[in-house]
Every structure is written in structure tokens, then in C-alpha cells.
Amino acid sequence: MEWEYVTEQGDTWDVLAADIYGSEKLVGLLQEANPDYLGILYFPAGVILTIPDTPKQASSALDSPWKRNA
């Protein structure tokens, strides 16, 4: 399931990924879902971005090593 986010002035890909997914390492998910905006470093206010859900594999890969085998 996807949802939308309306940017605020100064939002960046990495900060959005950290805020939404808990890790800037998942910035690629946001960028793949929003290819028209790849050239933007600092977003202006009002850009509507598609926010995809995190795949289960990606979220478990980010877990601490002691949590992965639990």
C-alpha cells in the first residue's frame, strides 16, 4: 500500500527516509517511487511524493544482528 506526503520547504531525500522508515538507508525506496523528482536536492513546499511501504526484507535487514536470528 502506498500513501502520499506533501513536502515542506527544505525537505531532503535522506531526512525524509529517516523520518518515514527510520533509516536514511532506505532512501532508494522513495526515489524509485518518485523518479520525476530525482534532480531535487532540497524540496520546495507542496511537492506530492508517493511513499511506498517498506518491504519486509528491507526492514529485517536493518535490524541489529542480534535481532535477525531471534
Side-chain angles (χ1 to χ4, degrees):
M1 183 171 188
E2 297 178 338
W3 53 283
E4 293 180 341
Y5 171 79
V6 180
T7 62
E8 296 180 7
Q9 178 71 35
D11 279 343
T12 60
W13 290 109
D14 58 337
V15 171
L16 287 173
D19 288 348
I20 294 166
Y21 299 122
S23 174
E24 67 277 356
K25 293 179 181 180
L26 295 177
V27 70
L29 289 175
L30 293 177
Q31 292 174 328
E32 287 177 19
N34 299 282
D36 293 342
Y37 304 109
L38 291 178
I40 295 178
L41 182 58
Y42 294 98
F43 283 94
V47 175
I48 300 173
L49 297 177
T50 300
I51 309 300
D53 284 340
T54 307
K56 290 181 182 181
Q57 297 89 356
S59 61
S60 65
L62 292 173
D63 283 343
S64 301
W66 58 89
K67 289 183 180 178
R68 284 186 219 147
N69 297 323

